[in-house]
Amino acid sequence: MNKILIWSIIVAMAGFLFGFDTVVISGADQQLQNLWGSSDVFHGSVVMAMALWGTVVGAMFGGIPTNKIGRKNTLVWIGVLYTVSALGSSLVNDPYTFAFFRFIGGLGVGASTVAAPAYVSEIAPAKDRGRLVGFYQFNIVLGILIAFLSNYLLSNVGEHAWRWMVGVEAIPAFIYTLLVLTVPKSPRWLLLQGRRKEAHKVLEQLYPDDDIEKIMTDIEESQKDHHSSKEHIFMKKYRFPLILAFLIAFFNQFSGINAFLYYAPRIFQEAGLGESTALLSSIGIGVTNMVFTLIGISLIDKLGRKKLMYIGSVGYILSLSLVAMAFFFEWEGMFVPIFLFVFIASHAIGQGTVIWVFISEVFPDQLRASGQSFGTSTHWVLAAIIPSMVPFLFGTIGAGTVFAIFAFMMVLQLLFVRFIMPETKGVPLEELEKILTKSE
């Protein structure tokens, strides 16, 4: 178990860089706009959003290298992208080159949401798979918290503070790249390539007490059933896993989570709180997110994916409805922040913990990377669209209505969990494949 744990933690560090990279820009936001005198539209859509569009592209196409050159090699290149992006964006002197280097970092974020969960789900024993893949999500929220903290600590290092804020990411990125070189290739991917000897060696390291030949035969049998170059995730027999990946990603973003993370200070101000609470609230959000993600990870293999999604859905519906009511009835004081902290806790213990685990489980070996790519692309396209509409929607239909819509979407999520979502806890990947794939 020791080696599996260490390798899972190393690979999950890609999540730390993802969380850090996503949030670090918020600290440099106003400095950059003032420095380059950009218009609101150019600043928002080019300087700030370019990493997000890199993420969409990285998620859409991340399945290709994950399949072709393998999970491990893709993870190494992701580390290189993060390092180049951090150094490049800290040294530039104009908004276009800055946006270019941020885009490169975004490619790394998007591809990591494909390769990292796929790799960990393929080396983890069924009984611990949820917890081990969950480390990826834990690292994301840890990265978010450290970025908030890092921005706060570096905000007073002079007029070029923004260079330090975005550049400091090169240190963890370089360490991650070196560490990921030490992990072995995924045994399931090696078997897909017909590299039986190498796969045997890795499986011996992973499961020293088990019958390696039997494990390999089971994996090969399962792969053989679907091993055809013509196979793709949009075939009729893979419709159910495809629907599952789409819906869990769809509901993840229609909870309003990214809209909230990006605009927390604005939302708190809309609720009548002073500006001074903004920084405190963002660090508070980071801590709440991390604590409840840890609780979620410790429970995912005990209670299962569905129970966590039930808890999260009920928490979402209550907290979002209360936030909407607070805006409609103009409740003063700490009501909105308290409800929003409940919302963050509900997200962390439910969707936050479950999404990457679940998407990495529902597809067969040879289609896992492209399935993962489909699910994460859905997530990232919506993550780009929904937050960008928030300022406009707040100004037109009002914050109360926006949160009421999010609450209604979470009622639909509860129905999805109750009637459609299968429980994947403790089921070997090969068995899951038989359950979820329709034979033609």
Side-chain angles (χ1 to χ4, degrees), residues 76-99:
V76 173
W77 279 106
I78 286 165
V80 172
L81 288 174
Y82 278 129
T83 311
V84 169
S85 167
L87 288 173
S89 50
S90 69
L91 296 170
V92 299
N93 293 310
D94 69 280
Y96 296 100
T97 325
F98 180 84

Side-chain angles (χ1 to χ4, degrees), residues 10-29:
I10 289 173
V11 169
M13 270 182 69
F16 175 87
L17 295 166
F18 158 3
F20 194 96
D21 193 81
T22 307
V23 165
V24 77
I25 189 72
S26 65
D29 176 8

Side-chain angles (χ1 to χ4, degrees), residues 22-37:
T22 307
V23 165
V24 77
I25 189 72
S26 65
D29 176 8
Q30 282 156 326
Q31 285 184 53
L32 292 174
Q33 189 167 8
N34 297 337
L35 177 70
W36 291 321

